[in-house]
Amino acid sequence: MSRYWSSLVHRLTPYVPGEQPKLPHLVKLNTNENPYPPSPRVVAAIAEEMANGGQSLRLYPDPNAELLKEAIAARYSRFDISVEQVFVGNGSDEVLALVFMALLKHDLPILFPDITYSFYPVYCSLHDIAHVAVPLTEDFRIRVDDYATANGGIIFANPNAPTGCLLSLAEIDQLLVAQPASVVIVDEAYIDFGGESAITLVNRHPNLLVVHTLSKSRSLAGLRVGYAVGHRDLIEALERVKNSFNSYPLDRLAIAGAVAAMDDQDHFEQTRQAVMRSREALGSALLQLGFVVLPSAANFLFVSHPQSDAAQLAARLRQRGIIVRHFRQPRIDQHLRITIGSDEQCATLLQALREILPGE
Ligand SMILES: *Cc1c(COP(=O)(O)O)cnc(C)c1O
């Protein structure tokens, strides 16, 4: 505590990201990174941006990242998305931070599930926004009827994190129709691993904003690129806040790499299909080991074991060099979130669990 701190800083409880260990040989299944490398075209595009001794790095990047917005709009052209309907930022975490400032700060409290991405309450405390946590059902599902109260906006992850549960497009549509006065933010960080994007609904609902990231399904967590798609009025609100804060959130290398990633559909398809196949295989193997496995549409599984304490299990795995995510939080403190790794990593995990679990 310092007397030089602002009163805001005294009030903050920052987000705690999953561990990024310095040890090289760990089996890292704790932050939902992609086990496969990004498209080779990403590497080539970044190398090209650095050509001629890095000449171009002398110059500021395009503050509007127009090339990237075009690549994103082109990717969703079948839904009739124009460049003016796309916003880009330094990771979707930054996009979300701006969303809270630009679209979710109103007089009424905003609504989000009691179990969801734990950054949402952190943004609320940063921006001084009241919120109400709406409980998920017993089986960890979002029930849209539970959001039928006056509110300053609604945000949830779909598939939800850390549960992996998917809400159908029909239910999202129903929520949008029931709440025309509220902005509804759908954080689709994991949508490419098993869901259909609500971007299809954007042109029918001026109150819908869909947020994506290149960190998971495009294997680019280290490049820091995220984006949002919605009505141009919503995008303008984000641009106004962004241009009051940092005009150049995406650097030249990030823009070049992200454009290449959005353009390589083949690599994207192959890697996401591989992750989904591994998820089904790992899910069955964990069931056989006695785990309760929630159905997942994401690149992770949310599991519990009736005979084993989750925190202890996580600690024992860690002793064997395997890290998974455990949340010390009511309702889910007996669950573990396990990222889908490469097939070799999944095999290492299963072997370790066979050694650890009672009676195995
Ligand atoms: C990973 C994740 C993000 C953040 O993604 P970045 O683009 O890496 O900042 C946002 N929302 C959810 C639900 C996530 O799981």
Side-chain angles (χ1 to χ4, degrees):
M1 292 288 221
S2 164
R3 65 196 179 99
Y4 303 118
W5 289 7
S6 69
S7 58
L8 170 67
V9 171
H10 282 282
R11 281 201 310 273
L12 291 181
T13 322
Y15 176 73
V16 184
E19 183 188 358
Q20 295 294 345
K22 303 287 181 292
L23 297 168
H25 296 299
L26 290 180
V27 176
K28 191 173 175 305
L29 304 176
N30 67 331
T31 55
N32 299 340
E33 289 137 331
N34 199 308
Y36 302 108
S39 157
R41 291 209 225 160
V42 171
V43 182
I46 292 175
E48 193 181 331
E49 188 64 40
M50 292 193 298
N52 301 320
Q55 272 291 340
S56 82
L57 295 182
R58 291 181 304 109
L59 306 172
Y60 282 103
D62 174 6
N64 218 5
E66 207 66 27
L67 284 178
L68 178 55
K69 289 183 178 180
E70 281 167 15
I72 293 164
R75 161 89 174 85
Y76 296 105
S77 59
R78 68 183 188 283
F79 308 142
D80 223 1
I81 299 300
S82 68
V83 173
E84 295 74 35
Q85 289 176 282
V86 181
F87 179 80
V88 295
N90 192 270
S92 62
D93 282 342
E94 184 189 71
V95 175
L96 289 166
L98 299 173
V99 162
F100 275 72
M101 268 191 269
L103 299 170
L104 292 175
K105 192 168 162 69
H106 299 285
D107 294 335
L108 288 167
I110 66 166
L111 309 178
F112 50 79
D114 62 339
I115 297 160
T116 190
Y117 189 35
S118 40
F119 226 132
Y120 304 156
V122 175
Y123 293 131
C124 284
S125 82
L126 175 63
H127 300 307
D128 200 17
I129 298 168
H131 76 271
V132 173
V134 180
L136 295 178
T137 61
E138 277 297 302
D139 56 350
F140 296 121
R141 301 206 156 264
I142 291 173
R143 191 163 47 202
V144 293
D145 291 347
D146 295 344
Y147 292 75
T149 55
N151 62 74
I154 297 170
I155 181 166
F156 56 88
N158 194 45
N160 198 13
T163 61
C165 293
L166 184 73
L167 188 65
S168 71
L169 277 190
E171 288 167 291
I172 294 173
D173 194 59
Q174 194 188 321
L175 177 69
L176 288 158
V177 170
Q179 300 270 353
S182 300
V183 175
V184 175
I185 314 292
V186 184
D187 178 353
E188 292 189 336
Y190 303 104
I191 197 70
D192 297 324
F193 298 109
E196 212 189 321
S197 175
I199 290 177
T200 57
L201 304 176
V202 152
N203 282 332
R204 280 200 276 136
H205 299 285
N207 56 331
L208 168 64
L209 187 82
V210 181
V211 180
H212 279 201
T213 175
L214 274 67
S215 296
K216 277 76 184 231
S217 60
R218 307 245 173 206
S219 308
L220 288 172
L223 202 64
R224 311 306 305 130
V225 183
Y227 61 93
V229 179
H231 191 281
R232 59 181 67 206
D233 289 350
L234 302 183
I235 301 303
E236 188 187 337
L238 293 169
E239 297 288 357
R240 284 179 171 224
V241 177
K242 171 239 170 196
N243 286 319
S244 308
F245 184 70
N246 177 7
S247 314
Y248 306 103
L250 288 185
D251 62 64
R252 284 177 171 274
L253 306 183
I255 293 171
V259 168
M262 293 309 296
D263 284 347
D264 194 344
Q265 272 314 100
D266 289 347
H267 181 87
F268 168 75
E269 274 302 324
Q270 278 166 26
T271 48
R272 78 184 184 107
Q273 296 294 346
V275 168
M276 288 191 279
R277 275 196 306 273
S278 304
R279 177 184 70 212
E280 298 317 305
L282 182 64
S284 316
L286 290 171
L287 274 176
Q288 282 182 0
L289 289 174
F291 281 92
V292 178
V293 182
L294 240 63
S296 169
N299 68 339
F300 56 82
L301 289 169
F302 199 53
V303 305
S304 60
H305 197 283
Q307 276 91 50
S308 306
D309 177 71
Q312 255 180 31
L313 202 50
R316 295 224 172 107
L317 284 171
R318 200 173 197 302
Q319 288 166 355
R320 287 167 166 76
I322 301 168
I323 24 184
V324 299
R325 192 87 196 256
H326 173 248
F327 296 89
R328 259 169 243 288
Q329 194 187 318
R331 289 190 77 183
I332 56 169
D333 64 347
Q334 284 310 318
H335 283 77
L336 294 176
R337 192 194 67 191
I338 305 175
T339 303
I340 307 304
S342 65
D343 288 340
E344 191 190 348
Q345 290 176 316
C346 291
T348 307
L349 169 76
L350 289 168
Q351 185 51 41
L353 287 170
R354 283 185 199 107
E355 290 163 24
I356 295 168
L357 287 171
E360 285 293 330

